[in-house]
């Protein structure tokens, strides 16, 4: 399977954004008004943050799911706003924990202001997200958002635990990325469907699609860590600096047939790796076929996702969901 080039003039995400431009305009107005307050400092921080919004893949999924099952309405926009604000809250808090200075090549809230303000702004986003979910009047949407907050936290705690205790189990890796990344995509599908009163077996199919999409998103993110890239906006080997062993290296370390296996396994268990040791492990993962294995895994997951989409009648929305999957595997940042 060839991996599509996303450096063309218009990426699939841009095409999709263009096709749902009115809905996205409503979404961004909803987010701005939801985050408006009588506090001048909070408004300054929020306005600065919203200028650097990303591709908004998650609210796009809420909108596309609603279009797959019905018509976009006010509840869909409120649900999309709530999940995007909760997602942004986790990013703001993550930047504090990781002491990150940049995100999407822009200064983080904690680097412009300080950790105290960043944590409070993140909390403000969480509360605003809950208010938007409540505004839908649908307990299923509120429950999906509240459950998501719990699962995201558990995924991060599991990752810290596995890093500290050097767990090299592929099942454990998939459980973590299912919690910390895929759960967000699954919640988007659920909230979009609930907002147009769809439940049951068709939604269950799309929840599995979303799970596969989220797993691929995180595997692709993990691959970035093995290569230098200005576009990604974070240094190579960052995961290893934090003690996280992701799929390419995990595969390599489980290859007991390689002569350097024992030495690399011991090195991976060191508490603090220097730059040369990080480079050694990255080179080992690439040499042992870890990147190829990660791509093959994504292709396998994508094939299952394509089979799911084929169970729905052909439509522009189904095509858009398929192209998001391709884009996520091929993206460069």
């Amino acid at each position: 399977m060839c991996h599509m080039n996303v450096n063309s003039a218009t990426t699939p995400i841009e095409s999709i954004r263009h096709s749902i431009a009115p809905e996205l305009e409503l979404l961004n107005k909803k987010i701005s008004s939801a985050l408006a307050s009588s506090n001048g400092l909070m408004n300054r921080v929020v306005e600065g943050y919203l200028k650097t919004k990303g591709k908004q893949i998650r609210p796009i999924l809420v909108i596309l799911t609603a279009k797959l099952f019905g018509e976009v309405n006010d509840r869909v926009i409120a649900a999309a706003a709530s999940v995007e604000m909760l997602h942004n809250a986790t990013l703001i808090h993550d930047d504090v924990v990781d002491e990150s200075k940049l995100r999407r090549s822009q200064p983080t809230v904690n680097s412009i202001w300080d950790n105290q303000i960043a944590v409070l702004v993140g909390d403000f986003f969480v509360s605003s997200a809950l208010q938007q979910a409540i505004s839908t009047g649908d307990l299923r949407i509120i429950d999906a958002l509240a459950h998501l907050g719990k699962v995201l936290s558990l995924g991060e705690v599991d990752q810290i635990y596995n890093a500290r205790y050097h767990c090299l189990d592929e099942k454990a890796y998939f459980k973590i990325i299912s919690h910390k990344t895929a759960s967000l995509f699954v919640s988007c599908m659920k909230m979009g469907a609930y907002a147009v009163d769809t439940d049951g077996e068709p939604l269950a199919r799309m929840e599995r699609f979303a799970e596969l999409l989220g797993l691929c998103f995180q595997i692709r993110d993990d691959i970035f860590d093995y290569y230098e890239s200005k576009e990604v906006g974070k240094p190579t080997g960052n995961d290893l600096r934090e003690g996280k062993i992701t799929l390419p290296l995990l595969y390599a370390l489980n290859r007991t047939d390689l002569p350097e296996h024992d030495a690399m396994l011991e090195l991976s268990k060191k508490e603090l790796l220097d730059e040369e040791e990080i480079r050694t492990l990255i080179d080992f993962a690439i040499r042992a076929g870890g990147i190829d294995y990660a791509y093959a895994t994504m292709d396998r997951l994508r094939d299952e996702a394509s089979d799911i989409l084929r169970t729905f009648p052909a439509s522009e929305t189904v095509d858009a969901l398929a192209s998001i999957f391709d884009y996520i595997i091929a993206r460069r940042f």
Side-chain angles (χ1 to χ4, degrees):
M1 195 215 80
C2 67
H3 300 289
M4 60 181 273
N5 179 7
V6 295
N7 275 351
S8 55
T10 305
T11 67
I13 289 296
E14 284 165 358
S15 297
I16 292 163
R17 287 180 66 86
H18 181 71
S19 72
I20 56 170
E23 290 91 341
L24 289 178
E25 189 179 343
L26 288 172
L27 169 79
N28 288 312
K29 279 183 181 166
K30 177 78 78 178
I31 290 172
S32 291
S33 66
L35 292 168
S37 75
S38 57
N39 186 292
L41 176 55
M42 182 65 80
N43 289 340
R44 280 175 65 197
V45 179
V46 167
E47 281 164 22
Y49 183 83
L50 292 181
K51 279 178 190 162
T52 64
K53 62 179 173 284
K55 300 177 196 71
Q56 298 188 313
I57 289 171
R58 291 147 196 89
I60 286 171
L61 288 174
V62 176
I63 292 165
L64 289 178
T65 306
K67 283 172 85 78
L68 182 70
F69 293 124
E71 296 290 326
V72 174
N73 56 36
D74 289 346
R75 288 191 299 157
V76 173
I77 300 301
S82 72
V83 82
E84 178 70 348
M85 286 189 286
L86 184 68
H87 171 57
N88 280 298
T90 65
L91 299 184
I92 293 166
H93 285 160
D94 282 351
D95 289 337
V96 172
V97 172
D98 298 338
E99 298 176 8
S100 302
K101 301 296 177 203
L102 291 174
R103 178 173 289 277
R104 305 175 189 131
S105 303
Q106 299 295 322
T108 55
V109 176
N110 51 296
S111 70
I112 297 170
W113 305 91
D114 58 31
N115 285 349
Q116 188 180 15
I117 284 181
V119 169
L120 294 168
V121 170
D123 291 346
F124 184 70
F125 271 70
V126 172
S127 301
S128 302
L130 281 169
Q131 279 188 311
Q132 284 305 305
I134 289 164
S135 77
T136 66
D138 190 326
L139 278 174
R140 297 170 303 175
I141 290 173
I142 300 161
D143 181 62
L145 190 80
H147 179 70
L148 173 62
K150 283 172 68 174
V151 173
L152 290 173
S153 303
L154 290 171
E156 292 294 342
V157 170
D158 276 346
Q159 185 163 58
I160 292 165
Y161 178 89
N162 281 8
R164 283 186 187 166
Y165 295 97
H166 310 293
C167 178
L168 297 176
D169 179 56
E170 194 174 301
K171 259 190 191 166
Y173 166 81
F174 274 100
K175 182 186 168 196
I176 285 168
I177 69 171
S178 176
H179 280 167
K180 78 168 203 160
T181 305
S183 62
L184 193 45
F185 290 80
V186 172
S187 294
C188 290
M189 295 282 179
K190 286 165 82 166
M191 292 164 78
Y194 293 152
V196 292
D197 293 318
T198 296
D199 206 337
E201 194 275 331
L203 174 55
R205 272 183 276 154
M206 287 314 294
E207 283 182 59
R208 178 58 184 162
F209 173 87
E211 168 88 358
L212 296 162
L213 183 65
L215 295 175
C216 282
F217 188 95
Q218 189 57 54
I219 293 168
R220 184 67 187 103
D221 231 35
D222 291 343
I223 292 171
F224 289 137
D225 209 47
Y226 293 79
Y227 297 102
E228 293 288 351
S229 171
K230 287 177 186 169
E231 291 171 317
V232 176
K234 66 175 184 177
T236 306
N238 220 37
D239 289 332
L240 279 169
R241 272 182 208 93
E242 295 170 14
K244 298 172 191 168
I245 293 179
T246 55
L247 191 60
L249 182 56
L250 193 57
Y251 170 80
L253 290 172
N254 282 315
R255 280 197 60 185
T256 51
D257 58 310
L258 299 174
E260 65 264 61
H261 170 266
D262 292 356
M264 292 296 116
L265 188 60
E266 278 311 301
L267 182 56
S268 74
K269 290 178 179 176
K270 260 189 84 173
E271 287 307 315
L272 283 170
L273 296 163
D274 64 30
E275 292 306 305
E276 191 179 335
E277 289 165 334
I278 287 170
R279 189 73 253 166
T280 299
L281 285 168
I282 286 174
D283 290 344
F284 169 65
I286 295 168
R287 209 169 53 247
I291 303 295
D292 293 337
Y293 179 76
Y295 269 111
T297 302
M298 287 194 291
D299 285 346
R300 179 170 52 78
L301 298 174
R302 203 264 301 274
D303 287 344
E304 187 187 335
S306 298
D307 289 343
I308 291 168
L309 286 183
R310 276 194 281 273
T311 67
F312 290 92
S315 68
E316 274 185 32
T317 303
V318 168
D319 290 345
L321 289 164
S323 73
I324 282 182
F325 216 114
D326 287 340
Y327 172 78
I328 274 170
I329 292 178
R331 72 201 160 98
R332 304 206 179 281
F333 57 95

